[in-house]
Amino acid sequence: MEKGINQRKTEHIRLCLTGDVEGVNKSTGLEGINFIHNALPEIDFADISLDSNFLGKQLKAPFLVSSMTGGSELATTINQNLAIAAEEKGWALAIGSTRAFLESDQHKDSFLIRNQAPTAPLIVNIGAVQLNYGYGPEECQRIIDKTNADSIVLHLNSLQEAVQDGGDLNFKDLLPKIEQVCKQVNAPVGVKEVGFGIDGEVARRLYDAGISYIDVAGAGGTSWSQVEKLRSKDPLNKAAAEAFNSWGNPTKDCLVSVRGELPEVPLIASGGMKTGLDAAKAITIGADIVGFARHLLKAAMETPEDVIQTMEQLELELKMTMFGIGSVNLEELKNTSRVTIMGQSLMDK
């Protein structure tokens, strides 16, 4: 029987599949962005390219399997299916928090997925707050080495920890410790939120500390205060969590804010991404890579082929969007004027 952190990971998966875990009256903000249809695109659909790169590796599409899980029997099936699919489709791949792997070899196969994805850019993940609970650059390097990963991302999840029963709440003086990880770890170090968003001011502080890329992980998708509310056995925590069911910075606002502050930083859009059209909108306002998580989870419970089918639909939707505005590659999509943001057309400028 699974106990402690392993049991929590299984509960997280099941709640994300079956529970009401999205924020209340909270969207990504991407619905305020619309493309201007080009009736004469003057391109061949067959020539549309989604080629991209991340962490020095080529991608066949500008897509990332976002960090979801690890450290449970169920997570092993999910991560191995995701890894096989990511390798097949040329996506980047991130796995869930590796703290459980540092503490125990139980369910190690949920983390050791490099054999299933030998060429995919692979990102491992640990909570930044753990830098205040005995973890540091040495542990970060160890998890990179154990998994043969290309990068590590530190997740910021203060509100989730506040709602979670027994959460780790000491977020004091984390920035200098993050800076030490960036200096001492022999791999790019990124930072992500978990669904409440990173704004430009915070991104600037992280970038100045040495962070290599930012995953905004904005509001509009899974709300981890909602997930932990459903898990909680504490009536006070459950009641207090209700006040935060619409908390967070929408993904669109995060992208605009971070890109405005840091024009050159590699930027990942995640948080409520459900379609290739969502991805196109995110790329148009500054994202380099788009991450999908819960949208892939149900398929990942089944087979790699199910995941691949979902991935192929997302890629087709992105290509259809590009065809609809006459963009043959991602650079043209990033620079298109055929878009309106909150009713303001870029073609008018």
Side-chain angles (χ1 to χ4, degrees), residues 71-89:
S72 71
E73 184 177 348
L74 189 55
T76 300
T77 297
I78 290 169
N79 283 348
Q80 290 186 354
N81 286 342
L82 290 170
I84 293 167
E87 179 70 19
E88 172 70 22
K89 296 307 299 176

Side-chain angles (χ1 to χ4, degrees), residues 41-188:
E42 292 283 16
I43 60 174
D44 185 340
F45 190 92
D47 292 335
I48 295 174
S49 170
L50 302 184
D51 289 351
S52 185
N53 62 78
F54 186 59
L55 300 177
K57 290 189 173 184
Q58 287 297 118
L59 299 177
K60 296 178 185 176
F63 291 155
L64 164 72
V65 177
S66 291
S67 304
M68 281 184 270
T69 191
S72 71
E73 184 177 348
L74 189 55
T76 300
T77 297
I78 290 169
N79 283 348
Q80 290 186 354
N81 286 342
L82 290 170
I84 293 167
E87 179 70 19
E88 172 70 22
K89 296 307 299 176
W91 288 30
L93 172 66
I95 53 178
S97 175
T98 50
R99 176 182 160 199
F101 190 27
L102 285 171
E103 296 178 357
S104 169
D105 278 343
Q106 186 181 22
H107 306 303
K108 65 181 180 180
D109 288 342
S110 68
F111 300 106
L112 298 177
I113 57 173
R114 179 51 97 186
N115 285 344
Q116 286 81 21
T119 68
L122 177 61
I123 303 169
V124 289
N125 170 16
I126 196 165
V129 73
Q130 298 308 317
L131 300 177
N132 276 340
Y133 290 87
Y135 293 80
E138 182 180 343
E139 287 74 20
C140 291
Q141 186 65 57
R142 184 150 57 94
I143 201 65
I144 291 169
D145 293 341
K146 288 179 73 170
T147 57
N148 195 20
D150 297 290
S151 172
I152 187 167
V153 68
L154 305 175
H155 68 257
L156 300 170
N157 66 332
S158 55
L159 192 63
Q160 179 188 3
E161 296 285 353
V163 175
Q164 181 178 295
D165 293 352
D168 295 322
L169 301 177
N170 182 13
F171 275 71
K172 186 177 181 180
D173 297 328
L174 278 181
L175 191 61
K177 294 175 182 177
I178 292 172
E179 185 172 9
Q180 287 306 306
V181 172
C182 294
K183 287 180 177 178
Q184 296 181 39
V185 167
N186 187 29

Side-chain angles (χ1 to χ4, degrees), residues 27-34 251-252 255 273 278-279 281-282 285:
S27 77
T28 62
L30 294 172
E31 69 279 1
I33 299 174
N34 291 286
T251 299
K252 176 189 76 71
L255 291 170
M273 298 293 108
D278 288 339
K281 292 178 178 182
I285 59 172

